[in-house]
Amino acid sequence: MLKGLKVLELEGLAPTVFAGMMLADYGAEITIISRPGTPTLDNLMNRGKTNLSLDLKNQEDFEKLLKLIP
């Protein structure tokens, strides 16, 4: 149903993770932006998502995030 929809999920509170899980279950492409060294894909609610580890305090990583936003 949601094929073609791309969502950036900034790692954080449980409602965000749950909403991302629901969107992924319906076919959206979810990319989790997590802090370096944080294990996120072990969580059941992260099924069907890809993980990108970025340190948003680092200017180069922050620019990578901005390039993902159309």
Side-chain angles (χ1 to χ4, degrees):
M1 292 172 76
L2 298 177
K3 275 258 190 267
L5 178 67
K6 295 182 180 184
V7 177
L8 292 178
E9 177 184 310
L10 297 177
E11 183 181 56
L13 301 174
T16 305
V17 176
F18 183 74
M21 177 193 70
M22 297 295 292
L23 293 171
D25 287 348
Y26 283 101
E29 182 183 323
I30 309 294
T31 302
I32 302 170
I33 307 299
S34 64
R35 292 183 182 106
T38 305
T40 56
L41 293 179
D42 295 339
N43 186 336
L44 175 64
M45 286 197 277
N46 290 337
R47 64 181 182 255
K49 301 177 184 179
T50 55
N51 186 41
L52 180 59
S53 182
L54 296 175
D55 178 3
L56 298 181
K57 292 181 181 180
N58 177 309
Q59 185 64 31
E60 187 176 306
D61 282 357
F62 186 73
E63 289 174 12
K64 287 179 187 177
L65 173 65
L66 292 179
K67 289 180 182 177
L68 294 172
I69 302 169

